[in-house]
Amino acid sequence: MVSLLERLGELPFWLIALAWVIDVGIRVVMLGIVPGNRRPTTAMAWLLAIFFIPAVGLALFLLFGNFRLSERRVRRQLEINKQVLDYTQHLESDDALDMVPPAIASAVALNRRLGAFPLDAGNKFEFVTDYRESLEQMTAAVDAAEQYVHVQFYIIGDDPEYVGPFLAALERAVGRGVKVRLLFDHLGTLRVKGYGDLLERMTAAGIEWRAMLPISPRTRQWRRPDLRNHRKMVVVDGDVAFTGSQNLIEPGYKRGSAHKIGREWVDLMARVTGPMVTGLDVVFATDWSQEAGDDDLLDDVVSGGVAPDAGSVTAQIVPSGPGFESENNLRLFNTLIYGALEKLTITSPYFIPDDSLLYAITTAAQRGVHVELFVSEKTDQFLVHHAQQSYYGQLLVAGVRIFRYQAPIVLHTKCFTVDDDVAVFGSSNMDMRSFSLNREVSLMLVGEDAVQELDRVQAEYRENSTELTLIEWMHRPRLAKWVDNACRLTATLQ
């Protein structure tokens, strides 16, 4: 049997030399390309992949290395931001700003500049932690719709018990003349069982639907395939909205493997009334404009007036994603966390912070802030789970208390509270994917009442969690440590 070295020795010298020049050339050229506009850790991870396995590393970089949307989408997002700023200029409320502490006022200004939405008083948030109840409330709201219903979710999956009744409500709404528009992430929903049947059902019902960020080489719709629209919301008649972390799918995500082990997702949704409803409607209209090419809806929403006051909560919407020039959510999170004085409570199902967020959280703990982090004992994604665990040692050493929600349940809520002053919830995880790759929507709520509501939710999570100690973590098997650290490297490949 002829060995590989012998076969290579039979090749012409010029071919071997050419291969060597190409191999070295790839490494040298990428050394000056990869670091551009990337975190140093991310650039180093990509360069390691390219240096160790040039052909494979380069192919992966070309496929996944560009986290920007198309120029058309970026340009459109900038135009939309300007429209929102223009239309909401008169909504700037000195009274609302007077109600927030100086440290929070700086975060408000940051959000306004980066995300365009103003701070508004007069909102009411009713948090729903029961998976079935949130779907039932959304279904009831749709059944009461008179003009329009806007639906947007990362994942949608039909089933007779949970989502079927909601879709039936949409069908009834269309039947009585209500305009129903529905958005779903293309790849997020495509992988769900029954995708084709879902599309047929919506089309037959007369629901206007669009796939967000579609991947279709046939129609020249192509981009980095893991750029996703991760937002979740329902808006009815501009009067009531629902938003949070829950997808429009049954709690086991129609996965046989999840049902087999009893895995379900625990989420948080909020029923929203007041001016924030209009803001969420604007977010929907911007995404609809991107996918449907319909600018009229955005004009109708922003010129149709603001929903009337319904409560006492002051709040601000923070959209984020690759269509924005800055990582709006990450900058907000860091700003608020650095302002913490007494307590910081975080819930994030996928916790893979960049260096800036890791320093903000550990610094808070080191200066005496009581910091708690709620995560899942076992998540549904192998690489993410182990990458997340690679940060536990640093957090525990700094004094962060880590509570793991008991397996096999996936704690999917995304929220955090700072002192008694401010709370944030929405669709954004505290991971680099949510900061750079996903379109997200978060809401910042100011005031003790809102903080207490979310603290009560997180207290329920504490009752169903076990605390991880530093001694326990340091004595885990060496192989487990190796796997965690190796997976951490993959998390930075963005």
Side-chain angles (χ1 to χ4, degrees):
M1 183 177 293
V2 180
S3 68
L4 179 60
L5 288 176
E6 291 174 334
R7 288 182 180 273
L8 291 174
E10 296 174 358
L11 294 175
F13 173 78
W14 68 267
L15 188 58
I16 297 175
L18 178 62
W20 181 85
V21 169
I22 292 174
D23 181 76
V24 174
I26 288 174
R27 303 180 194 206
V28 172
V29 170
M30 299 309 288
L31 190 64
I33 293 177
V34 173
N37 296 321
R38 287 184 178 82
R39 299 181 180 91
T41 52
T42 299
M44 185 60 68
W46 277 118
L47 287 173
L48 282 172
I50 293 170
F51 271 54
F52 277 109
I53 42 175
V56 176
L58 178 61
L60 290 174
F61 178 78
L62 294 175
L63 184 61
F64 294 100
N66 180 13
F67 56 84
R68 286 181 61 84
L69 294 172
S70 67
E71 289 300 322
R72 179 189 67 82
R73 288 179 179 272
V74 173
R75 184 171 60 253
R76 180 60 184 142
Q77 184 66 63
L78 293 174
E79 293 171 354
I80 289 169
N81 287 351
K82 186 178 184 304
Q83 279 183 273
V84 174
L85 277 171
D86 291 342
Y87 278 112
T88 61
Q89 200 68 43
H90 66 288
L91 299 178
E92 292 284 12
S93 172
D94 292 334
D95 291 339
L97 284 173
D98 290 342
M99 297 169 62
V100 304
I104 308 303
S106 66
V108 171
L110 173 73
N111 295 337
R112 180 67 158 150
R113 292 190 182 100
L114 298 183
F117 286 89
L119 181 75
D120 276 314
N123 301 283
K124 184 177 181 180
F125 294 85
E126 300 171 77
F127 293 103
V128 185
T129 58
D130 183 85
Y131 204 102
R132 186 189 297 271
E133 182 184 347
S134 69
L135 286 167
E136 290 175 348
Q137 287 196 23
M138 287 187 283
T139 300
V142 172
D143 274 329
E146 297 178 353
Q147 300 175 17
Y148 67 86
V149 178
H150 293 158
V151 181
Q152 176 174 352
F153 285 92
Y154 174 57
I155 295 174
I156 298 180
D158 189 11
D159 76 283
E161 183 178 357
Y162 286 89
V163 179
F166 178 81
L167 294 177
L170 294 181
E171 292 168 342
R172 291 192 293 271
V174 173
R176 62 177 183 272
V178 174
K179 190 80 167 180
V180 177
R181 300 178 179 91
L182 185 147
L183 291 169
F184 60 86
D185 184 80
H186 183 208
L187 294 189
T189 297
L190 176 64
R191 60 191 179 185
V192 177
K193 292 180 180 178
Y195 175 73
D197 293 337
L198 172 67
L199 299 189
E200 289 181 6
R201 177 175 183 176
M202 293 190 298
T203 301
I207 297 170
E208 293 187 31
W209 59 266
R210 296 290 188 279
M212 296 182 287
L213 297 176
I215 300 293
S216 177
R218 182 177 59 83
T219 57
R220 297 196 301 177
Q221 292 177 302
W222 180 257
R223 66 192 58 81
R224 175 172 172 163
D226 58 346
L227 293 179
R228 310 295 355 124
N229 196 317
H230 198 236
R231 296 165 180 163
K232 296 106 175 168
M233 68 182 79
V234 175
V235 182
V236 178
D237 289 344
D239 297 324
V240 61
F242 297 83
T243 191
S245 66
Q246 186 174 326
N247 285 297
L248 192 61
I249 193 170
E250 58 91 14
Y253 275 48
K254 301 188 73 173
R255 299 178 186 174
S257 58
H259 293 160
K260 186 175 181 180
I261 63 174
R263 173 176 288 163
E264 293 187 347
W265 275 247
V266 169
D267 278 288
L268 175 70
M269 292 294 280
R271 184 182 188 274
V272 186
T273 48
M276 287 300 102
V277 175
T278 303
L280 290 169
D281 217 3
V282 170
V283 174
F284 176 90
T286 63
D287 286 338
W288 183 263
S289 172
Q290 292 272 19
E291 305 304 343
D294 179 7
D295 293 340
D296 293 339
L297 178 60
L298 180 60
D299 292 336
D300 292 343
V301 170
V302 296
S303 62
V306 179
D309 289 358
S312 59
V313 179
T314 301
Q316 187 176 29
I317 291 175
V318 185
S320 58
F324 293 86
E325 294 182 353
S326 301
E327 295 168 323
N328 301 358
N329 46 357
L330 174 60
R331 293 178 187 272
L332 170 64
F333 296 173
N334 281 338
T335 298
L336 295 179
I337 290 170
Y338 272 117
L341 298 176
E342 297 179 356
K343 63 176 182 175
L344 169 64
T345 309
I346 300 169
T347 300
S348 182
Y350 309 117
F351 182 82
I352 304 177
D354 76 335
D355 287 344
S356 69
L357 182 60
L358 181 64
Y359 293 161
I361 293 172
T362 54
T363 299
Q366 289 165 341
R367 67 173 189 268
V369 176
H370 182 80
V371 182
E372 294 184 342
L373 171 64
F374 292 91
V375 294
S376 298
E377 181 181 8
K378 186 76 173 179
T379 70
D380 60 314
Q381 300 179 31
F382 178 86
L383 290 176
V384 173
H385 174 71
H386 286 282
Q388 172 174 292
Q389 290 191 154
S390 71
Y391 292 91
Y392 290 174
Q394 291 171 269
L395 294 166
L396 291 166
V397 168
V400 176
R401 297 182 66 185
I402 300 177
F403 295 87
R404 298 189 295 179
Y405 203 95
Q406 295 179 5
I409 303 301
V410 174
L411 179 58
H412 197 240
T413 297
K414 306 99 167 34
C415 69
F416 70 96
T417 60
V418 179
D419 299 330
D420 293 322
D421 298 327
V422 65
V424 176
F425 81 99
S427 67
S428 178
N429 298 304
M430 284 193 172
D431 67 354
M432 287 178 273
R433 176 169 299 282
S434 287
F435 300 147
S436 301
L437 304 181
N438 292 344
R439 284 186 170 181
E440 308 281 6
V441 61
S442 303
L443 287 96
M444 183 178 75
L445 283 53
V446 181
E448 188 174 355
D449 292 343
V451 172
Q452 288 180 349
E453 285 298 314
L454 278 177
D455 278 345
R456 274 194 283 270
V457 171
Q458 294 182 112
E460 293 178 9
Y461 298 155
R462 187 182 295 105
E463 293 176 0
N464 292 283
S465 303
T466 56
E467 185 171 2
L468 179 66
T469 65
L470 179 59
I471 294 177
E472 174 189 356
W473 192 244
M474 297 305 292
H475 285 85
R476 74 193 193 280
R478 290 184 178 179
L479 178 59
K481 296 179 183 179
W482 186 92
V483 172
D484 290 346
N485 292 334
C487 291
R488 180 171 178 162
L489 182 64
T490 68
T492 63
L493 291 177
Q494 299 183 359

